[in-house]
Amino acid sequence: MWERSDDSEKENRIAMEAFTALIRVTPKMPKTNEINSFLTDVVQIAHNELDTPTYSRDEVSTYVTAFYEALHLYALGLNDTLSAGHRNPNGTQITRSMWGRTFSGIAGDVTIDANGDRLV
């Protein structure tokens, strides 16, 4: 929200004018039981463990699911690298094991092509 209770009326008017040019683009989240459960867990953890104010699942940033899937991908790559016998894998080895794969993410299938790009 653009308005702040601790700012002057003049500062809030300036902020309001600045926000008239704002366009917020967010990806649409699927409406599945899995994503609903995940978002409910995120809200619950934020409230209980981080002492944040209560907010709804609709207010959870899409970056949360992207970060979750990125961490999942890293774990898959690390496990594959360790399984291949690399006792102390470096970043290049882990990254290359993340490429050219598809896995089930929180919002559906996630595909990483042979160049390391995510195909949406």
Side-chain angles (χ1 to χ4, degrees):
M1 176 168 220
W2 57 266
E3 189 174 29
R4 293 182 52 170
S5 60
D6 60 339
D7 266 345
S8 69
E9 187 176 325
K10 179 182 177 184
E11 290 297 318
N12 280 325
R13 271 197 313 273
I14 291 170
M16 182 181 74
E17 288 176 28
F19 271 80
T20 60
L22 176 71
I23 296 175
R24 183 175 174 190
V25 178
T26 56
K28 185 176 179 174
M29 297 291 277
K31 300 294 183 193
T32 64
N33 289 338
E34 186 176 25
I35 195 74
N36 286 336
S37 177
F38 176 80
L39 295 175
T40 298
D41 289 347
V42 168
V43 170
Q44 194 69 28
I45 290 168
H47 180 69
N48 292 341
E49 295 182 22
L50 304 175
D51 198 29
T52 62
T54 302
Y55 54 96
S56 75
R57 291 187 325 242
D58 294 335
E59 295 174 292
V60 176
S61 170
T62 56
Y63 291 114
V64 173
T65 57
F67 182 74
Y68 174 88
E69 289 172 341
L71 190 58
H72 186 159
L73 175 62
Y74 177 79
L76 292 171
L78 178 61
N79 284 340
D80 288 352
T81 305
L82 292 171
S83 294
H86 299 283
R87 287 181 40 92
N88 297 307
N90 62 38
T92 301
Q93 292 165 324
I94 297 168
T95 300
R96 293 213 188 271
S97 70
M98 292 167 29
W99 294 354
R101 75 179 322 138
T102 297
F103 67 95
S104 181
I106 195 70
D109 285 346
V110 176
T111 300
I112 308 299
D113 70 12
N115 296 318
D117 296 322
R118 180 176 178 169
L119 305 178
V120 180

